Amino acid sequence: MRRDVFQAIADPTRREIIGMLAYQKMNLNAVADHFSISRPAISKHIKMLTECGLVVIEQQGRERYCTASLGQLGEVSDWIEQYRQFWNTRLDNLDKYLAKTQKQKKHAKRKSD
Amino acid sequence: MRRDVFQAIADPTRREIIGMLAYQKMNLNAVADHFSISRPAISKHIKMLTECGLVVIEQQGRERYCTASLGQLGEVSDWIEQYRQFWNTRLDNLDKYLAKTQKQKKHAKRKSD
DNA sequence: TTTATTTGTAACGAATTTGTTACATATCAC
DNA sequence: GTGATATGTAACAAATTCGTTACAAATAAA
């Protein structure tokens, strides 16, 4: 099973969980209460998040308090940053231009036969 | 079918494709030659990348030249950056953090006027 | 001790992802 | 024209994801 950070943040529910746990420590049931899906489903999401280091668990009696530990997001950030030079540049504008002409070609194509 | 940028970059093959197309325009077969999986598989990956705007196609005769158009990565970058303040405040992160808060101050200034 | 609460996990199913092969179409080269 | 090349896509299969319900175990509360 793939358990990397890229995969972890691909799921919108997990991104929401991260958003909650970044600001407040919560036990698992409290997290689950914010969603319409079942508690076991949330439990699995949190398990995955802990497995890739984005959430840490602090056990207190029968409760498990979860907090976000977002340093691992650096892996994604680093991957993206290496390409930042390609954004909002002439190159990027060229790409947008090409995308535009491509659409025009597709439209023209059917008729031109 | 989910077709957002988070999902697009979750797959390692697609990240590799992005890495190749960021630096050079290539037709589809040239991309496929760099991988062990089949050409139709690559074709589908590239289709998905174009559908979420990370790759643009320029048709030239029977060939389709692909280039990366990475502005959409900003969506992921923005999502991550909102949490940067929560990362372990290492010194090398401090610069970026300060830059961000400086921007926020500028924005806040307009409201307080 | 008895009961309620918090949680993990097994077992399962549906949907999605990711690959394949086979075939169709359009274009180039001769 | 004929044949090679570049590509899209349909049809299918295997693996994975993401949810469910049911049950077990540990702890707290009565």
Side-chain angles (χ1 to χ4, degrees):
Chain A
M1 204 183 291
R2 276 214 317 270
R3 234 97 234 245
D4 55 280
V5 186
F6 287 91
Q7 190 67 19
I9 67 172
D11 184 271
T13 301
R14 285 193 292 268
R15 286 202 299 279
E16 255 194 89
I17 292 175
I18 287 172
M20 293 168 54
L21 297 180
Y23 294 95
Q24 50 185 329
K25 184 181 294 188
M26 302 173 76
N27 68 16
L28 196 135
N29 275 348
V31 176
D33 283 346
H34 284 74
F35 295 90
S36 57
I37 62 177
S38 70
R39 181 192 54 76
I42 297 296
S43 177
K44 284 178 202 169
H45 280 310
I46 289 183
K47 186 179 185 186
M48 178 178 181
L49 289 170
T50 58
E51 278 172 4
C52 56
L54 288 169
V55 162
V56 290
I57 305 287
E58 182 190 353
Q59 185 107 26
Q60 278 184 7
R62 65 185 164 185
E63 293 177 74
R64 311 181 80 208
Y65 284 95
C66 314
T67 14
S69 171
L70 300 180
Q72 291 301 313
L73 288 182
E75 192 187 331
V76 182
S77 181
D78 289 349
W79 183 80
I80 290 180
E81 288 306 314
Q82 74 179 312
Y83 299 118
R84 185 174 290 279
Q85 55 178 312
F86 298 104
W87 305 3
N88 293 327
T89 61
R90 275 160 296 181
L91 271 178
D92 196 56
N93 289 336
L94 176 62
D95 292 342
K96 285 173 185 167
Y97 165 75
L98 292 176
K100 212 176 181 181
T101 48
Q102 180 56 26
K103 275 186 188 172
Q104 291 168 345
K105 274 188 183 175
K106 275 188 181 172
H107 283 279
K109 214 174 179 182
R110 302 224 172 202
K111 284 187 286 185
S112 67
D113 206 34
Chain B
M1 204 183 293
R2 275 215 318 270
R3 234 91 232 248
D4 55 279
V5 186
F6 287 91
Q7 189 67 20
I9 68 171
D11 184 90
T13 301
R14 284 192 292 267
R15 288 201 298 279
E16 256 194 90
I17 292 175
I18 287 172
M20 293 168 53
L21 297 180
Y23 294 95
Q24 50 184 330
K25 183 180 294 186
M26 301 173 76
N27 68 18
L28 195 137
N29 275 347
V31 175
D33 283 347
H34 283 74
F35 295 89
S36 57
I37 62 178
S38 70
R39 181 192 53 75
I42 297 296
S43 178
K44 284 179 203 168
H45 280 310
I46 289 184
K47 186 179 184 185
M48 177 178 182
L49 289 170
T50 59
E51 278 173 4
C52 57
L54 287 170
V55 161
V56 289
I57 305 288
E58 182 191 359
Q59 186 108 24
Q60 278 184 6
R62 64 187 164 184
E63 292 176 76
R64 311 182 79 210
Y65 283 96
C66 314
T67 18
S69 171
L70 301 180
Q72 291 301 313
L73 289 182
E75 192 187 332
V76 181
S77 181
D78 289 349
W79 183 80
I80 291 180
E81 288 305 314
Q82 74 179 311
Y83 298 119
R84 185 174 292 279
Q85 54 180 310
F86 297 106
W87 302 6
N88 284 340
T89 49
R90 296 207 319 248
L91 283 178
D92 54 327
N93 281 339
L94 189 59
D95 291 345
K96 292 173 185 171
Y97 172 72
L98 290 177
K100 196 194 173 194
T101 47
Q102 205 59 28
K103 279 184 187 171
Q104 289 172 342
K105 275 186 184 174
K106 281 184 184 173
H107 282 275
K109 214 174 181 181
R110 293 171 118 228
K111 282 196 290 184
S112 62
D113 251 6

